[in-house]
């Protein structure tokens, strides 16, 4: 019988786990910021295309929540913890500040696209760096990148000429 004390906690080396945590943790923080700021934008948008933008922002929030979960659980699956406490997100997320209060939809869209672009920069760094560290983790970052770019398109299409 296998002695449980001899079973490794993860299937990867400590160096691989640390590298994955280094590049996926910022992704978790930026996506968590998108969840919070997405709701803020969802509540305060007004004006042209109100229903479309209001409802799309909720869809983007749901996507960001799912992707944050995927990235966080990849780190945990490799045996390391994630720090996505609210204070850590506020201090370290790269997403810019949203303007407080009600906004016309053009402003909401411009500000939220800036949120997505900040997160995309973080995600692209993860894609590039994980290429040499762990392809399974890189695949998660690629999926997030593809999804964020699609959500960005859906948002921008409301104001594109
Ligand atoms: Fe709502």
């Amino acid at each position: 019988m296998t002695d449980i004390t001899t079973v490794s906690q993860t299937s990867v080396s400590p160096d691989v786990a640390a590298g994955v945590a280094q590049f996926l943790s910022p992704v978790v923080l930026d996506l968590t910021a998108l969840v919070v700021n997405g709701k803020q934008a969802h509540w305060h948008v007004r004006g042209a295309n109100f229903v479309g933008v209001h409802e799309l922002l909720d869809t983007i929030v749901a996507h960001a929540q799912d992707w944050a979960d995927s990235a966080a659980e990849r780190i945990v699956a490799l045996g390391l913890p994630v720090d996505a406490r609210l204070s850590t997100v506020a201090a370290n997320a790269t997403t810019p500040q949203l303007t407080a209060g009600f906004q016309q939809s053009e402003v909401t869209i411009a500000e939220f696209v800036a949120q997505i672009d900040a997160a995309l920069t973080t995600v692209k760094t993860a894609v590039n760096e994980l290429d040499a560290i762990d392809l399974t983790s890189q695949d998660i970052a690629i999926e997030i990148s593809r999804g964020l770019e699609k959500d960005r398109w859906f948002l921008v299409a409301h104001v594109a000429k």
Side-chain angles (χ1 to χ4, degrees), residues 1 32 36 79:
M1 182 191 289
T32 303
V36 174

Side-chain angles (χ1 to χ4, degrees), residues 39 42-43 54 58:
K39 276 296 188 183
H42 166 83
W43 294 324
H54 175 74
D58 245 0

